[in-house]
Amino acid sequence: MDMPKRTYAPINFGDKLAQFTDRWQPRVIAELNDYQFKIVRIEGDFVWHDHPETDEAFIVLEGTLRIDFRDGAVTIGPGEMYIVAKGVEHKPYAASEVKMLLIEPRGVLNTGHAGGERTARNDVWI
Amino acid sequence: MDMPKRTYAPINFGDKLAQFTDRWQPRVIAELNDYQFKIVRIEGDFVWHDHPETDEAFIVLEGTLRIDFRDGAVTIGPGEMYIVAKGVEHKPYAASEVKMLLIEPRGVLNTGHAGGERTARNDVWI
């Protein structure tokens, strides 16, 4: 007798984003080994920080993200990505709301080691 | 004297995809620590294989990807992703062309340990 076939569900970015509206609060949507995929809404200016132990991937889903560096900046739109190398100080900025995907090892804080009031709760799944 | 500011370039998926037309030949577009981001065009049926040592992330950019498992399947469209867990046998299928992003550790072959004529050159950057 054949087993009934299972239908597995994909992870839909829009469906996940529709479940929250707050900004700068990353939600984990998937894990790849010890890496996490997080979606986040951002708007306005963040704090300067770095991640001394890891690179960080940004994939923009909607809006235009600018990441400032001490010596310049990169502008990232939908269908684009950028890797911020470990140890490089950066400050994300969104003139209007940006929806994006972050990929980084489990345990990385949004403010790196800068700390402060902008530090989000970590490892919040949606 | 202020240093002139640098403008860094994002990685644009469309620009990268426009540089090749062959199918089932992943191109590396970025590295995140020891992980690689690869873009690939696929159409038709692939071979059954697994990756005993790692999970594998699929993000669909255009088209509709189906991944068959021994006990079912998942259908993934644009704006969706799926993680195939390590050791799980799978077979990608695209009724018409799919453009997608793969994320996995550096060194992973497209056919896992199945080998054969469908095995693509690895670590080809674009």
Side-chain angles (χ1 to χ4, degrees):
Chain A
M1 191 180 75
D2 283 344
M3 292 280 289
K5 292 288 188 181
R6 289 188 59 173
T7 298
Y8 291 90
I11 297 164
N12 183 292
F13 302 134
D15 289 352
K16 295 291 187 183
L17 283 161
Q19 294 179 44
F20 65 96
T21 57
D22 51 353
R23 276 78 181 258
W24 305 104
Q25 302 293 323
R27 264 73 167 188
V28 182
I29 60 169
E31 280 186 345
L32 173 74
N33 303 321
D34 54 346
Y35 280 67
Q36 290 186 327
F37 288 69
K38 304 172 183 176
I39 49 169
V40 62
R41 294 171 180 264
I42 67 167
E43 185 169 359
D45 226 347
F46 202 56
V47 292
W48 284 104
H49 68 285
D50 72 324
H51 304 285
E53 71 290 355
T54 183
D55 300 340
E56 185 173 30
F58 294 80
I59 299 179
V60 171
L61 303 172
E62 286 184 44
T64 302
L65 169 67
R66 195 184 76 206
I67 304 177
D68 291 335
F69 304 109
R70 293 297 187 183
D71 69 347
V74 60
T75 300
I76 312 161
E80 295 183 331
M81 66 173 288
Y82 193 79
I83 308 277
V84 175
K86 68 179 173 185
V88 172
E89 280 191 291
H90 60 284
K91 183 175 67 63
Y93 169 74
S96 55
E97 190 182 54
V98 167
K99 301 169 185 171
M100 64 182 182
L101 187 60
L102 299 172
I103 307 162
E104 57 198 358
R106 191 187 300 134
V108 172
L109 293 178
N110 65 330
T111 51
H113 296 256
E117 64 181 11
R118 300 298 293 272
T119 303
R121 285 178 59 208
N122 198 29
D123 204 30
V124 178
W125 282 75
I126 204 166
Chain B
M1 190 181 77
D2 281 347
M3 290 282 288
K5 293 289 189 181
R6 288 188 59 173
T7 299
Y8 292 90
I11 296 163
N12 182 291
F13 302 135
D15 289 350
K16 295 291 188 183
L17 284 161
Q19 294 179 44
F20 66 97
T21 56
D22 51 352
R23 278 76 181 259
W24 306 105
Q25 301 293 323
R27 263 76 167 187
V28 181
I29 59 169
E31 280 187 345
L32 174 73
N33 302 321
D34 54 346
Y35 281 67
Q36 291 186 327
F37 288 70
K38 303 173 184 177
I39 50 169
V40 61
R41 295 170 179 265
I42 67 167
E43 184 167 2
D45 225 347
F46 202 57
V47 292
W48 283 105
H49 68 282
D50 71 325
H51 304 285
E53 70 290 356
T54 182
D55 300 340
E56 186 173 30
F58 295 78
I59 299 179
V60 171
L61 302 173
E62 286 184 46
T64 302
L65 169 68
R66 195 184 78 205
I67 304 177
D68 292 335
F69 303 110
R70 293 298 187 184
D71 69 346
V74 61
T75 299
I76 312 160
E80 294 184 330
M81 66 172 288
Y82 194 78
I83 308 276
V84 175
K86 68 178 171 184
V88 173
E89 279 191 292
H90 59 284
K91 184 175 66 63
Y93 169 74
S96 55
E97 191 183 53
V98 167
K99 300 168 187 172
M100 65 181 181
L101 187 61
L102 299 173
I103 306 161
E104 58 199 358
R106 192 187 301 134
V108 172
L109 293 178
N110 64 330
T111 51
H113 296 256
E117 64 181 15
R118 301 298 294 271
T119 303
R121 284 177 60 207
N122 198 30
D123 204 30
V124 178
W125 282 76
I126 204 166

